[in-house]
């Protein structure tokens, strides 16, 4: 608008133009503030992340920690498995010893019963030969 056109406008028109410019200025200021916040946020992100290489190293560190935890877990599982195998071997040995002892006791009882039966048979045979009743 030229100076002549501005001079011809009424006071009300000038105030409306002034208000409209004020609104536009507020909007532009808000947009500028938002853009500044985004810029500050990105600058903060970049300062925290550093470079792509630093971010990769951080991620790599996470993977290394995860790998170390997984390795430790597998070691613990292997140790637990070895302990369980040792316990199983001990239990098998104990059971084998108990079974062996029972077999020996059963064999001894069988031998005693056989000897007793043979004595009784011999006594009855001798009594029968003598003509006596058992």
């Amino acid at each position: 608008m030229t100076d002549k056109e501005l001079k011809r406008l009424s006071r009300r028109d000038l105030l409306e133009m002034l208000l409209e410019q004020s609104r536009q200025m507020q909007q532009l200021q808000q947009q500028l503030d938002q853009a500044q916040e985004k810029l500050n946020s990105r600058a903060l992100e970049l300062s925290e992340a550093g470079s792509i290489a630093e971010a990769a190293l951080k991620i790599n560190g996470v993977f290394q920690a995860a790998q170390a935890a997984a390795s430790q877990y597998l070691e613990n599982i292997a140790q637990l498995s070895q302990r369980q195998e040792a316990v199983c071997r001990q239990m098998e040995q104990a059971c084998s010893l108990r079974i062996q002892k029972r077999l020996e006791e059963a064999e001894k009882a069988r031998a005693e019963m056989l000897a007793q039966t043979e004595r009784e048979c011999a006594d009855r045979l001798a009594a029968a030969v003598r003509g006596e009743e058992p």
Side-chain angles (χ1 to χ4, degrees):
M1 230 181 225
T2 63
D3 287 340
K4 282 185 181 181
E5 291 173 339
L6 282 175
K7 289 181 182 180
R8 288 185 188 158
L9 292 175
S10 67
R11 213 176 183 159
R12 180 181 176 140
D13 291 336
L14 289 172
L15 284 173
E16 284 180 16
M17 283 179 63
L18 188 59
L19 285 172
E20 182 60 31
Q21 285 182 348
S22 177
R23 285 186 202 120
Q24 286 179 356
M25 208 162 119
Q26 284 179 347
Q27 287 176 348
L28 291 172
Q29 185 62 43
Q30 286 176 349
Q31 289 174 356
L32 179 62
D33 290 343
Q34 289 172 354
Q36 187 65 38
E37 285 178 30
K38 286 181 182 178
L39 181 62
N40 289 340
S41 174
R42 286 191 181 173
L44 180 62
E45 288 174 7
L46 287 176
S47 70
E48 286 178 357
S51 65
I52 293 174
E54 286 178 19
L57 287 174
K58 286 181 183 178
I59 290 172
N60 193 24
V62 170
F63 289 139
Q64 287 175 345
Q67 181 62 44
S71 297
Q72 184 179 15
Y73 176 76
L74 290 175
E75 286 177 23
N76 290 342
I77 295 296
Q79 288 176 357
L80 181 61
S81 177
Q82 290 173 352
R83 283 189 222 143
Q84 286 178 338
E85 287 175 2
V87 167
C88 286
R89 280 193 300 273
Q90 289 174 349
M91 291 179 74
E92 285 174 355
Q93 288 173 352
C95 286
S96 293
L97 290 174
R98 280 188 248 139
I99 290 170
Q100 185 65 33
K101 185 177 177 182
R102 286 185 181 172
L103 283 174
E104 289 171 0
E105 290 171 355
E107 178 60 29
K108 185 178 176 183
R110 184 199 64 80
E112 288 175 3
M113 287 174 62
L114 181 61
Q116 176 71 25
T117 302
E118 286 175 352
R119 280 192 301 271
E120 288 177 8
C121 285
D123 290 345
R124 287 185 183 182
L125 183 61
V129 168
R130 285 189 306 252
E132 301 173 359
E133 266 194 47

